[in-house]
Amino acid sequence: GESVGLHLPTLSVQEGDNSIINCAYSNSASDYFIWYKQESGKGPQFIIDIRSNMDKRQGQRVTVLLNKTVKHLSLQIAATQPGDSAVYFCAENYNTDKLIFGTGTRLQVFP
Amino acid sequence: KAGVTQTPRYLIKTRGQQVTLSCSPISGHRSVSWYQQTPGQGLQFLFEYFSETQRNKGNFPGRFSGRQFSNSRSEMNVSTLELGDSALYLCASSPVGGTQTQYFGPGTRLLVL
């Protein structure tokens, strides 16, 4: 499958635990943020998004938190499952269709 | 609704050749963006097309080009291939562009020998 970085930071969690994946974004003017999940052999899959006028947004088992003061984004996954194992990317956008991606974090879920 | 489709899925070329990759966006989506994904550089933006016009371009050499057709389908072309062009090329579509969610296809894996 795709290797999106030989030295990706890796988060290892036990099945059933909560996972928190962090991302620092680069442009203070960015107003739209997306989390993507990429499994081996597949393209990035949309998980959840948030606009800069919000601090928190919840989806099914996932929550995104945005801290504009320190340009930080986090993705929380509740009750992590083996199927959550993948590489997770944050992406930022400012008024264009050019998404700027972070380097990615590999999430490994063990039983 | 069918997702973004990309053809071919895998491709092997030799240095100096050229290649054309194809992307069909989600029905109704008019914006198509292309990205290159490599282990060393991660996901990098190539260009974006909307209504057959290139609206945004990333920092890639002129060997990388693209176009969009009236049905929103898009192609990208890489001429005079180099070993470093080996990558996963991803296409993403969104309804009308701007700060909207982009949906990705499975990618075309290009290997340059």
Side-chain angles (χ1 to χ4, degrees):
Chain A
E2 290 73 36
S3 171
V4 298
L6 294 177
H7 302 292
L8 278 181
T10 299
L11 175 66
S12 297
V13 299
Q14 190 164 24
E15 182 178 356
D17 285 352
N18 297 333
S19 303
I20 300 176
I21 300 171
N22 296 303
C23 174
Y25 63 92
S26 59
N27 187 350
S28 57
S30 292
D31 56 4
Y32 181 56
F33 306 88
I34 311 173
W35 279 101
Y36 286 95
K37 170 187 179 183
Q38 188 172 26
E39 297 174 281
S40 182
K42 299 182 179 179
Q45 175 189 357
F46 170 83
I47 302 173
I48 192 167
D49 59 0
I50 189 168
R51 297 197 180 270
S52 58
N53 60 352
M54 303 173 69
D55 297 321
K56 178 180 179 178
R57 190 161 188 226
Q58 288 185 289
Q60 186 178 13
R61 281 201 309 118
V62 294
T63 300
V64 55
L65 298 177
L66 175 62
N67 185 331
K68 295 181 285 293
T69 303
V70 294
K71 294 192 290 185
H72 183 268
L73 200 63
S74 69
L75 176 71
Q76 300 178 0
I77 304 174
T80 312
Q81 302 168 1
D84 295 327
S85 294
V87 177
Y88 289 80
F89 294 95
C90 67
E92 61 183 296
N93 179 283
Y94 170 63
N95 206 32
T96 72
D97 279 279
K98 176 181 176 178
L99 284 176
I100 300 183
F101 283 83
T103 53
T105 296
R106 188 180 306 278
L107 176 64
Q108 294 179 333
V109 183
F110 56 92
Chain B
K1 248 185 199 181
V4 177
T5 58
Q6 292 186 245
T7 57
R9 291 294 312 277
Y10 303 93
L11 206 49
I12 300 175
K13 292 285 188 178
T14 56
R15 278 181 299 176
Q17 287 186 310
Q18 73 163 17
V19 66
T20 299
L21 312 181
S22 180
C23 170
S24 293
I26 293 170
S27 177
H29 286 194
R30 293 169 60 190
S31 171
V32 174
S33 298
W34 288 90
Y35 295 83
Q36 181 195 65
Q37 186 174 35
T38 59
Q41 300 296 321
L43 273 154
Q44 292 189 295
F45 173 79
L46 280 157
F47 28 66
E48 183 252 346
Y49 287 87
F50 179 79
S51 292
E52 302 178 65
T53 301
Q54 186 182 89
R55 288 199 304 190
N56 290 290
K57 189 176 189 303
N59 297 323
F60 279 82
R63 298 185 298 107
F64 292 81
S65 63
R67 60 177 176 169
Q68 186 180 34
F69 301 95
S70 58
N71 62 358
S72 295
R73 190 176 69 84
S74 177
E75 289 181 347
M76 68 163 282
N77 183 277
V78 188
S79 62
T80 319
L81 284 165
E82 300 176 359
L83 296 179
D85 297 333
S86 295
L88 180 68
Y89 290 89
L90 291 158
C91 164
S93 75
S94 63
V96 292
T99 51
Q100 293 192 351
T101 304
Q102 294 184 22
Y103 297 90
F104 284 82
T108 294
R109 170 72 68 186
L110 172 64
L111 177 62
V112 182
L113 301 176

